[in-house]
Structures are given as structure tokens and as C-alpha cells.
Amino acid sequence: MLKQLRTAVLLLVVLTVLTGLIYPVAMTGIAQVLMPGKANGSLIHRDGAVVGSTLIGQSFIDPKTDRVLQGYFRGRPSAAGAGYDASASGGSNLGPTNKALIDRVNATAAIIRQENGLTASAPIPVDLVTASGSGLDPDISPAAAELQVPRVARQRGVSEAQVKALVQKHTSGRTLWIFGEPRVNVLALNQALDQNFPLAR
Amino acid sequence: MTAIGAVQLVVYLLILAAIVRPLGAYLARVFTGERLLLSSVLGPVERGIYRVSGVDAAAEMRWTTYAVAMLLFNCCGVVLLYALQRLQHGLSLNPMDLDNVAPRLAFNTAVSFVTNTNWQAYAGESTVSYLTQMAGLTVQNFVSAATGLAIAIALVRGFARHSARQIGNFWVDLVRGTLYVLLPISVIGCIVLVALGVPQTLHGSVTATGLTGARQLIVVGPVASQEVIKELGTNGGGFFNANSAHPFENPTPLSNLLEMVLILAIPAALTYTFGKMVGNTRQGWAIFATMAILFVVGVLVATVAEQHGNDLFRALHIDQTASHLSAGGNMEGKEVRFGINSSALFAVITTVASCGAVNAMHDSFTPLGGLIPLANIGLGEVIFGGVGAGLYGILLYAVAAIFIAGLMVGRTPEYLGKKIEPYDVKMTMLALLILPLVILGFAGVTVITRTGLASVLNPGPHGLSEILYAFTSGVGNNGSAFAGLSANTPFYDLTMGIAMLAGRFLMIVPILALAGSLAAKKRLTATAGTFPTTGPLWVGLLAGVILIVGAVTYVPAYSLGPIVEQRQMTTGVTFDASTFGTTPYQAVPQAPASVP
């Protein structure tokens, strides 16, 4: 028994060194040499500063009014911290019959309808009123983008066709026709809008 | 279910089936001690490990010695992991300067990772240092999976050997499983994941100044190296709180596919290993077929329920129909890049296995969609199951099924040439009964205590589902959650800790006893009267026993949770946490507050 215990301790130490130190450190070395951009979080740099990550969504909502910022596409509601907090990922975890969920969806839908000048019973794509699992979802569905095109075009003072073309450019399809879903990267789209059709400030 | 969803399921199953034979045969060679292609590289490492730790690789063990070795090793694992968390503040690799983990949470987490559960009562990015993630959690991701593998192989040896006293050497099984199976696949998988966008760095988090000027703290870290073994070892503990829903853990549909394949690769391949080691691969394929059938049923129900969406949204004119512009369905808690199909499929995969990684929040699934993950775990994760745990789990059901068949025709039951006697059936039932005993026992106690109920987030029947799911997940060593439940309280840290320990070790010890008993038996030759355990009749019997035992055990509890909630949802009833009452929902379009 004592001999067994000695073996257990030694083996745990050896395996900890192997799988807990050598393995992750070696992987870090390989990843940093081969693919530093991705290994460091796919960060977007602009003028030497980090603007964000292509993989992590950002909020385009005014926290005081819950309304979208002028000229931007809005992303999905977020339950991560105060919204798109990349150090506190998570979903709402509200159950399907929880009144709090239904009320929140109803309120968000009402705001979106008003923002975009839609009637009170206009259909809203479901992803635009539901919180994602991570709270950091970088994407919206193409339907959710399409709904916002007229507003963004108007606020930026350009034609809908121009904005639509930009949306199209930032839309990815399914992988190998089967996996995942078509989606629009909101941060990339909004960044392209700023570059191509800057807001008059 | 959309056509694309169906195609995705078929393609996934084909990929899995293609892996079974090569990987299964490889596993058999690893555990019968054969020389492998990797031996020239890893052979010296393996022998070095034995020398340093004083292992006599040639000495085999009886089941009692095997069990003691396994228990000692896992005890040491709990102690080390507990110590790492309690001391992390003063140790290195803590760039975010995180504090020591509180004692009861550290206990819960240590037990959770050693038992292959990876229940996370903590939020990864804000609680544990890089050192704890790497030298604590990642290590247990490897060795808890290797432990599961070892137990399954020991049980298979019980069937394969005859008139033998020993069932293998735990230390050798542990080392070979880690070195020749888990590590090589992890190395390759890790690099692929980084290529798909998963971070792998030892630098601290990055502060970004977003497009609109808002600051965003972007947490990175050595994610990929932990991510791959999290899936491959059916562990499930995420680097981040949001687990595989987090874009850094699972950035694209392709990484999602890879993770889904990694979860079930070893569990599925073990069916072939089993057939190979008992000398008839058809025995293994029969087990695989049983698992695949039950798996497909689960995926169909979950996908249809989630694609149907939330009936309560319809009155609000929320568009949940699938089109080429939108996945539709119940998107609360799901990511756009995965939509319904890839989320529902992932949910089933992670719960038929004892993985517990999630790419969508199960708590926000529709009642029926959430019932499937709950029931998958409740059945004992025998549909492919956890690494090793799935195979030994379904072999228990196989023994039970053959015993029932024997009762029906009045013959002494035999399985794989081994006479199944009272001692064997007792050990089987001991192992099988632990699950419902702990789940229903603890859930029953919880719902009559104020402290237990205080952690529930969602009112109404969904609250009961949260409690049932927690204990099912804990004792099943799954680790996924209806995460609305606030699990980091003294009550849940303790009860869940006990549930996880019971579900792991009170199950493993009787299994090793069964392995020892089987190995000692003589092998009988099959006669015309032997029940065949390869054809469709056997597959039907086995699947039937699994489902009937599950239904008898859980239908009363599930009726008060997900089943009644499904009915409430379709009839338009909501539950209000502030009043704890039910109200038929009035869909009054809300007038937005006026813009200043």
C-alpha cells in the first residue's frame, strides 16, 4: 500500500510535468511561431491600437437609452456582464417560459421596430432579440442585417444598395454547404462602414 | 428538421463510423502492449516514466490491487488540484493576479475535474490562474480520461480472459493511455484549433478600445491546448465561462465539427476495441449499432423541438422560421454561427458522452429540447458515453439485458462465453443503481430545503428541471448545466461534490469487482441454446432495456419538470419569478419609451 502510494504520487508529478507544463508550453511555442495572429486572439489593430478581435462581438448600443448608435448595425442582445464584456462571458440562462425572457424579448423587439420605423406587428428575426450563449456573438443573421439596411443607409446618407453591397461582402455562408449557418460579422461590417461612409461628426 | 440538419447528422455519423475501426484497432494494440509506430519515439519516455515512479510494468494486478491503485492516484489528484487553487495567488503564471480560490469552491472543482465531470461552479476567466488551468485542470483532463479508459479496458479483459486472476496493471494502462492515445491526438488537434482561431498564449488579457470608443477587456490564454483535451477526454470544462459557445473556444462551424468528432471519437472506437479484444468484432458492432440508434432518436427530437422554437415568441411576431437568410428556431442561448442544427447536435453529443462542453445554453432550450440532454445523462451516458465510462456503462446494461433474457427463457444467462451468476448481477445492479439513487435522492432533498431552492433562477417547472439537471450532471460526471442555477453556494458545492464522487467511484469499484469475477471464470462454448449477442434481436433487447429502465426511473420526475413545462409553453403560460405565480401571457406590444 505504501509502495502504491509512492508510485501514485510520483506518477502524478511526472504526468503533471508532461501534460500540464511541457505540453501546453510546447503548444504555445509552436502556435506563436506558426500563427501568432490567431494564437493571440485574432486582434484587430488600427493606428497601433487594438480595436477588438474579429471573433468577439462589440456593443453598438447606447447603454443609457438601449438604442442603437446612429449609423451602426446593432448586434444581438448580450448577457455578458453589462453587454459584450469579454471578461465575463455567458448567456441569460432564462428558461423558455420565464416571464422575464418574454418581457425582455418584447421590449427589445419594440425598440428595434421603432428604430427602424416598422409597424408594431412587423416580424423581427429571432436572433436579433435573443441573447447568445456566449454574450459575445460576433454575428447576426443576414435577415437581421437586411432589416437594418434602410436605417443605416439613411443615417449615413448613402444609398441602400451601397450598404447592401457592404453587408454582402461581410456575409459568410455555411462551411462545406452543411455546417453552421450564414452570418454577418457586425464589428467588421461597422468598421467597413466607418471606412467607406464616415459619419458626419 | 431542415434538410441541411438531416444531412449534417448523416455526415457526422459517417465520419464517426469511419474512425471506429482504425482508432479502435489502435486502442486494442495500445492496451495489449504491442509495439506501435510511435514506440520508437515514445518508448524511451514510457520506460523512463516507469523507472522514475517505480512501476514494474510486467507485473499484473488482481482487481483489488487495481482498484486501490486507481483510488490512490485519484486521491492524490484531488489533493494536488486543491492545493494549486488554494495557493495560486503566490505561484507563477498568474498574469491577471487572481486571488486564491475559496476552500469549498476549490474542493468542488478538484473533485469535479478528477472525476472527469468538469462541473464548473466558477467562471474560468475570472477565477483560476493560467498555472491552475494548465498544471491542474489540463492534467486532470488527461489523467481522468486515461483512468476511464483503463477501467473500461480492465472490464473488457475480464470478458476476454478466462481462468485468470489478474485484470492488467493500472499504472501501465494509465501511462499508455495518456502517452499513446490522448497526447498525440491532442498535439495535432491543438494546432488545428489554433489555425481555426483558438488562442494559445501565455500573455495576459488585452484591453481594446472599440469602434465606438468603449473599452473591452479581451481575455485570452492557453485555450487551444486545454480545449482539445476537454473534448477528446470527454471532460467538458471550458477555459471560459461560456464554454464552447465562446468564440475563442469554438470560433467557426469547422472548429465545432472538429470538437463534435473529438468528443465521440474514443467512446465510439472503444466498441471496436471491445470486439477485437473479446475475439469477435461483431460483438462490438452490435454495441455500436445500439448506441447509434438511440443517438439518432435523441438528435431528431432535440433538433425538431429547437427548430420549432418558443411558442411564446410567436404572439410577439418574432420570426422563427428557417430560411436562407436566418436559421430561425429558438435562438436564446445559441450562437448565430451554429444556428439550430449545429447547436442541437452538439447538445446531444455532449450529453450522450460524459463531456458536458456546451456550445449553447441548455437552460434556455425549449422544454422538450432540454429534456433530451437531461435524459441522455440520466440513462447513464451509455450512448457512446464518456471515454471508457460509456463502454463500461453499456456493458453493465448488456449484463442486465442478458440476465433478463435468461429469466424469460429460464436458462442460466451467458455473455461472451461467461456464465452470469448472482455475484455478477449484484455487482452490475450496484453500479447501475447508484445513478438514480443519488439523482432522485439529492433532488428530492433539495426541493424541500430553502437553501436548495434559493439558487434556482427560473420559476415554475423549469426550476425543478434545473435541480434535476444539476444532480444528473454531477452524478453522471457530465458537467454541463442548466446554468441558471447558482451552483457556487455551500449547499451545492458540498452536495454536488458528493454526487460527483459517488457517481464516479461507487460505480467503478463494483465494475472492477465484476471484471475480477469474470476473468476468473472458465469460458463456455456457445451452443444452440446460447442467446446470440450480435444480431438485431440483441440490439433491440439492449436498447429496450436501456430505455425501459430509464423510463421507469425518471418519468415521474420528468413529468413535473420538462414535460409539464412543454405543455405550458404551447398553451401560452409564463411563470413570474417575482410572484412565483403563473399567468396566461398577454401579448401587448410594448410602447417604447420616448426618445429624448
Side-chain angles (χ1 to χ4, degrees), chain B residues 261-300:
Chain B
V261 171
L262 282 172
I263 293 173
L264 289 190
I266 295 178
L270 273 172
T271 60
Y272 189 85
T273 313
F274 162 71
K276 187 106 179 148
M277 286 176 74
V278 299
N280 180 358
T281 47
R282 288 179 60 204
Q283 297 284 356
W285 285 115
I287 300 277
F288 179 87
T290 311
M291 293 170 161
I293 290 168
L294 295 172
F295 174 74
V296 169
V297 172
V299 175
L300 291 180

Side-chain angles (χ1 to χ4, degrees), chain A residues 76 92 97-98 103-104 131 137, chain B residues 332-334 336 458 565 585:
Chain A
R76 304 182 60 192
S92 75
T97 58
N98 193 333
D103 286 346
R104 194 206 71 205
D137 196 337
Chain B
E332 181 71 20
K334 296 190 182 66
V336 167
N458 286 295
E565 194 193 7
Y585 198 76

Side-chain angles (χ1 to χ4, degrees), chain A residues 1 3-12 14-16 18-21 23-25 27-28 30-32 34-35 38-43 46 50-53 55-60 65 67 69 72 76 84-107 109-111 113-114 120-127 129-144 146 174-184 187 190-191 194, chain B residues 4 7-8 11 49 52-55 65 68-69 72-73 76-77 80 125 134-135 138-140 142-143 171 174-175 178-179 183 186-187 190-191 194-195 197-202 206-212 216-220 225 228 240-242 245-248 251 253-254 257 310 312-313 316-320 324-329 331-339 341-342 361 363-367 457-459 462 483-484 565 569 573-576 583 585 588-590 592-593 595:
Chain A
M1 185 88 162
K3 187 178 169 290
Q4 295 264 62
L5 181 61
R6 191 175 153 268
T7 304
V9 172
L10 289 171
L11 211 50
L12 182 62
V14 173
L15 289 175
T16 297
L18 186 68
T19 62
L21 295 172
Y23 159 71
V25 170
M27 288 296 104
T28 307
I30 294 171
Q32 289 291 334
L34 293 181
M35 303 163 272
K38 285 177 170 159
N40 289 318
S42 308
L43 301 174
R46 198 180 52 188
V50 179
V51 182
S53 162
L55 297 175
I56 305 288
Q58 284 182 7
S59 174
F60 292 93
T65 60
R67 277 165 180 73
L69 293 163
Y72 287 108
R76 304 182 60 192
Y84 290 92
D85 180 345
S87 65
S89 62
S92 75
N93 285 314
L94 294 175
T97 58
N98 193 333
K99 188 165 177 292
L101 171 70
I102 311 301
D103 286 346
R104 194 206 71 205
V105 166
N106 197 16
I111 292 175
R113 289 191 181 107
Q114 199 216 29
S121 61
I124 305 290
V126 64
D127 59 294
V129 292
T130 46
S132 63
S134 63
L136 304 172
D137 196 337
D139 305 312
I140 53 176
S141 67
E146 199 168 74
R174 293 193 177 90
T175 307
L176 305 170
W177 304 281
I178 306 172
F179 299 103
E181 295 294 338
R183 57 203 182 276
V184 182
L187 177 58
N190 281 336
Q191 202 180 6
D194 274 355
Chain B
I4 287 194
V7 173
Q8 180 182 235
V11 171
I49 292 175
V52 171
S53 44
V55 173
T65 319
V68 168
L72 281 175
F73 182 78
C76 295
L80 177 69
E125 56 265 63
M134 283 162 44
T138 303
V139 173
Q140 285 304 327
F142 277 97
V143 297
W171 308 124
L174 179 74
V175 171
T178 307
L179 214 53
L183 255 182
S186 295
V187 167
C190 174
I191 293 169
V194 176
V198 180
Q200 179 70 24
T201 171
L202 295 178
V206 184
T207 306
T209 306
L211 213 53
T212 60
Q216 190 180 36
L217 185 68
I218 300 177
V219 177
V220 288
S225 60
V228 61
F240 300 101
N241 185 45
H246 196 296
F248 276 161
L254 217 51
L257 174 65
N310 189 336
L312 294 162
F313 289 178
L316 309 176
H317 304 285
I318 304 303
D319 187 5
Q320 297 182 86
H324 66 290
L325 290 178
S326 165
M331 284 299 288
E332 181 71 20
K334 296 190 182 66
E335 303 282 300
V336 167
R337 62 192 179 283
F338 305 138
N341 292 325
S342 299
M361 297 302 136
D363 212 349
S364 296
F365 274 32
T366 62
L457 171 73
N458 286 295
H462 202 84
E565 194 193 7
M569 183 186 78
V573 175
T574 57
F575 295 88
D576 191 343
T583 38
Y585 198 76
V588 184
Q590 195 173 318
V595 193

Side-chain angles (χ1 to χ4, degrees), chain B residues 516-542:
Chain B
S517 156
L518 289 170
K521 289 178 201 279
K522 290 203 276 288
R523 179 173 297 141
L524 309 169
T525 42
T527 63
T530 307
F531 188 86
T533 52
T534 48
L537 181 63
W538 167 243
V539 171
L541 176 71
L542 184 53

Side-chain angles (χ1 to χ4, degrees), chain B residues 183-500:
Chain B
L183 255 182
I185 302 178
S186 295
V187 167
I188 298 166
C190 174
I191 293 169
V192 176
L193 280 179
V194 176
L196 292 170
V198 180
Q200 179 70 24
T201 171
L202 295 178
H203 291 296
S205 39
V206 184
T207 306
T209 306
L211 213 53
T212 60
R215 288 159 75 81
Q216 190 180 36
L217 185 68
I218 300 177
V219 177
V220 288
V223 184
S225 60
Q226 189 177 324
E227 188 67 23
V228 61
I229 186 63
K230 166 190 125 185
E231 257 83 39
L232 180 67
T234 60
N235 295 287
F239 193 93
F240 300 101
N241 185 45
N243 210 291
S244 280
H246 196 296
F248 276 161
E249 287 201 26
N250 196 357
T252 68
L254 217 51
S255 66
N256 194 58
L257 174 65
L258 175 64
E259 292 181 13
M260 293 194 296
V261 171
L262 282 172
I263 293 173
L264 289 190
I266 295 178
L270 273 172
T271 60
Y272 189 85
T273 313
F274 162 71
K276 187 106 179 148
M277 286 176 74
V278 299
N280 180 358
T281 47
R282 288 179 60 204
Q283 297 284 356
W285 285 115
I287 300 277
F288 179 87
T290 311
M291 293 170 161
I293 290 168
L294 295 172
F295 174 74
V296 169
V297 172
V299 175
L300 291 180
V301 175
T303 310
V304 168
E306 290 309 297
Q307 191 69 62
H308 175 76
N310 189 336
D311 293 293
L312 294 162
F313 289 178
R314 269 175 239 292
L316 309 176
H317 304 285
I318 304 303
D319 187 5
Q320 297 182 86
T321 42
S323 71
H324 66 290
L325 290 178
S326 165
N330 171 29
M331 284 299 288
E332 181 71 20
K334 296 190 182 66
E335 303 282 300
V336 167
R337 62 192 179 283
F338 305 138
I340 299 299
N341 292 325
S342 299
S343 299
L345 180 58
F346 196 108
V348 175
I349 289 169
T350 194
T351 52
V352 294
S354 75
C355 186
V358 293
N359 79 348
M361 297 302 136
H362 294 181
D363 212 349
S364 296
F365 274 32
T366 62
L368 213 53
L371 172 64
I372 296 298
L374 178 62
N376 278 337
I377 312 171
L379 291 177
E381 292 152 341
V382 293
I383 307 166
F384 299 112
V387 168
L391 184 68
Y392 62 65
I394 201 161
L395 288 178
L396 292 176
Y397 274 111
V399 169
I402 206 80
F403 174 68
I404 289 167
L407 284 182
M408 288 194 282
V409 296
R411 263 183 65 98
T412 311
E414 290 165 26
Y415 185 47
L416 305 165
K418 293 297 172 75
K419 198 184 275 185
I420 304 299
E421 291 167 299
Y423 177 84
D424 309 308
V425 177
K426 277 181 204 158
M427 289 302 129
T428 303
M429 291 319 293
L430 258 182
L432 282 178
L433 286 175
I434 283 299
L435 220 68
L437 184 73
V438 178
I439 293 171
L440 299 176
F442 274 169
V445 169
T446 303
V447 294
I448 55 167
T449 55
R450 217 174 277 277
T451 31
L453 288 176
S455 287
V456 169
L457 171 73
N458 286 295
H462 202 84
L464 177 64
S465 304
E466 282 182 355
I467 293 170
L468 279 172
Y469 199 102
F471 288 109
T472 305
S473 173
V475 76
N477 297 142
N478 185 278
S480 66
F482 271 20
L485 188 81
S486 309
N488 185 16
T489 65
F491 179 84
Y492 283 98
D493 277 341
L494 184 70
T495 50
M496 284 295 292
I498 296 169
M500 291 186 280

Side-chain angles (χ1 to χ4, degrees), chain B residues 30-45:
Chain B
V30 168
F31 291 105
T32 46
E34 282 180 50
R35 216 188 132 68
L36 306 152
L37 203 62
L38 284 167
S39 295
S40 46
V41 188
L42 295 175
V45 181

